[in-house]
Amino acid sequence: VRCTKNLAAMLRGAPSRPPSVAAPHPGTANCSVDWHTQPLDHFSFTETRTFEQRVFSYGGFWRRPNAGSAAGPILFYCGNEASVELYVNATGWMWEHAEELGALLVFAEHRYYGETQPLGGSSATNASTLRWLTLEQALADYATLIHRLKLSLGAPDAKVVAIGGSYGGMLAAWLRMHYPSAVDAALAASAPVLAFDGLRRGGRGKASPLFDGNAFWRVVTRDASPAAGAHADCIPAVRATWEAIDSATGSAAGRAELSSVFRLCEPLREGASPSDAEGGAGARLKALLLNVFDTLAMGNFPYASNYLVFQQTRDPTVLLPAWPMRAACAHFAGAVTSDAPSLLRRMAAAAGVLYNASGKARCYALPRSALDGGDGIWDWQYCTQRLPQETYFNLTGGRDMFWRFNKSAATIATHCTRRFPGVVQR
């Protein structure tokens, strides 16, 4: 959707279509879409190229400035590592409070994601084209956009609240820290700002343990437990399934069975081919399945949601069920841990809760590596800036329900150089 009028013109004229009280999920259909010119490199005086940044906005509730009252606040969503439409459609808090606050809603897309491609189709080609994908450049995009918006709206004194979740929450917090003149406050939800190796959880002067990445997988495991409402058979059966996969990958017949049961787009093959450089076929299959529990835990909402499937389906009607981890675990009810064929079928059904939420998926593609889990250019942001990525957190197989996988710094550094030739992690 590309609007023919910009945000300032829209606000001076008729308001956007207000969200219907009867419609529980207002989103992109209610918004205006604008494109804002940004420098490719905010910190260079010789790089003069620019690109267009996509921005969604809704001004139907905004309190415009006039002689008798100040402008309403601007709630500014700091786009994450995906199409910004995902966050427009899923960030309920902003929509729920816009009217009472008289707020303007703005959702900015992160450079290199969605339709905001600085170098067009070649943006993610290699390390040379990805060099401008940094959190510092993204923060500068947001600060610049906010400044221009306030001027164009004739509301230079409007208060701005930066909002985001996960990586977007980190950006919201850092935007407030690095550009305090741009935003007056930040709401950083589920923002892992301390999830970096060597950092401690406690405040200054307090003795506390160093960051432990496996804590993430322990929380995921708890979501699959009776304490979180999941079936009691889930964790034991999931643990037993990894051994069943390892055993099956040892023979051609076993690999053929896995390919069929898990509906893989290409048959599993073992060997030293380039595609297996970072884990054999079995390891990459396990990484594909690890992502199921990872994603369902993050989206384990008590209501149906399209938040974590919209990026793949582009269909807002495709939803994960309420409590999706419970739905996946239900497939392990009555499982016998010694019955390998049954465990594989049950795991495939559990994976379908995420990967076949639409009911239309023909097959599932393996990630290229057992390390990155198929995270695309987010892997660049980990390899170059160590932004938290759970697929690099160690698995123990004891404190969590997965298998033992110690991902050393040397192993990850080698992966980053293979994935992005010329990049040396430091």
Side-chain angles (χ1 to χ4, degrees):
V1 179
R2 294 178 184 265
C3 285
T4 57
K5 54 184 179 180
N6 62 28
L7 173 60
M10 179 273 289
L11 290 174
R12 287 194 294 269
S16 302
R17 177 158 48 98
S20 167
V21 174
H25 300 294
T28 53
N30 305 102
C31 290
S32 170
V33 184
D34 301 279
W35 296 83
H36 294 259
T37 303
Q38 293 282 8
L40 180 61
D41 189 339
H42 287 273
F43 310 109
S44 171
F45 292 96
T46 58
E47 175 57 72
T48 60
R49 285 176 290 179
T50 62
F51 69 95
E52 298 301 304
Q53 180 181 27
R54 185 168 62 154
V55 179
F56 284 79
S57 58
Y58 178 74
F61 296 131
W62 191 49
R63 186 175 63 248
R64 295 165 175 77
N66 56 50
S69 63
I74 298 172
L75 303 184
F76 184 91
Y77 191 88
C78 300
N80 301 39
E81 68 281 20
S83 165
V84 73
E85 296 175 57
L86 183 70
Y87 310 107
V88 177
N89 291 327
T91 308
W93 190 92
M94 292 174 64
W95 291 103
E96 291 163 6
H97 294 279
E99 185 171 16
E100 64 181 288
L101 296 173
L104 169 65
L105 304 185
V106 178
F107 301 84
E109 189 160 67
H110 195 297
R111 57 170 57 201
Y112 285 85
Y113 292 98
E115 295 186 19
T116 301
Q117 298 297 319
L119 300 175
S122 63
S123 295
T125 301
N126 52 41
S128 178
T129 61
L130 284 165
R131 75 177 89 170
W132 298 282
L133 174 53
T134 69
L135 66 91
E136 291 85 0
Q137 297 284 1
L139 292 175
D141 288 340
Y142 296 157
T144 300
L145 174 59
I146 291 168
H147 176 72
R148 291 174 180 168
L149 280 177
K150 291 169 75 173
L151 291 180
S152 68
L153 296 171
D157 298 321
K159 301 298 183 184
V160 180
V161 179
I163 296 173
S166 190
Y167 172 49
M170 300 170 80
L171 292 172
W174 291 333
L175 186 61
R176 172 63 178 147
M177 294 175 187
H178 288 271
Y179 295 94
S181 63
V183 296
D184 299 274
L187 177 56
S190 302
V193 292
L194 296 180
F196 293 89
D197 289 340
L199 291 187
R200 296 187 182 275
R201 294 198 302 271
R204 185 177 300 173
K206 295 181 180 179
S208 61
L210 292 171
F211 167 69
D212 174 14
N214 182 252
F216 176 88
W217 296 115
R218 297 198 296 273
V219 172
V220 172
T221 299
R222 185 190 182 280
D223 272 0
S225 73
H231 198 281
D233 293 338
C234 187
I235 292 176
V238 169
R239 279 199 177 113
T241 303
W242 310 124
E243 185 176 348
I245 291 174
D246 288 341
S247 177
T249 55
S251 68
R255 293 192 293 274
E257 179 187 12
L258 292 174
S259 301
S260 175
V261 170
F262 289 101
R263 303 172 59 184
L264 301 181
C265 297
E266 296 183 2
L268 288 179
R269 295 185 179 89
E270 286 289 1
S273 67
S275 63
D276 291 333
E278 296 186 63
R284 290 185 291 130
L285 173 59
K286 290 195 292 186
L288 179 76
L289 299 172
L290 179 69
N291 183 63
V292 172
F293 297 101
D294 176 0
T295 303
L296 296 185
M298 289 193 288
N300 202 29
F301 306 130
Y303 49 81
S305 168
N306 69 8
Y307 173 50
L308 292 171
V309 291
F310 179 77
Q311 180 78 350
Q312 289 73 38
T313 67
R314 310 297 298 174
D315 182 350
T317 67
V318 175
L319 307 174
L320 286 178
W323 301 112
M325 184 68 91
R326 297 179 187 179
C329 279
H331 290 288
F332 293 101
V336 177
T337 57
S338 60
D339 186 348
S342 175
L343 289 176
L344 296 177
R345 291 193 298 271
R346 291 170 184 272
M347 180 64 84
V353 172
L354 174 66
Y355 293 137
N356 196 21
S358 67
K360 300 176 182 178
R362 298 181 60 187
C363 62
Y364 309 145
L366 290 178
R368 68 163 65 193
S369 167
L371 278 173
D372 65 30
D375 284 308
I377 61 171
W378 176 254
D379 203 32
W380 166 266
Q381 295 193 258
Y382 177 84
C383 287
T384 57
Q385 297 198 298
R386 301 293 185 103
L387 291 177
Q389 174 53 39
E390 65 272 16
T391 55
Y392 292 117
F393 298 161
N394 287 332
L395 304 170
T396 68
R399 303 174 75 189
D400 55 55
M401 64 178 183
F402 303 104
W403 64 96
R404 185 171 182 78
F405 192 0
N406 184 28
K407 306 167 188 181
S408 69
T411 298
I412 295 170
T414 299
H415 158 77
C416 288
T417 300
R418 283 180 178 150
R419 178 74 174 83
F420 305 104
V423 169
V424 178
Q425 197 177 42
R426 61 180 186 269

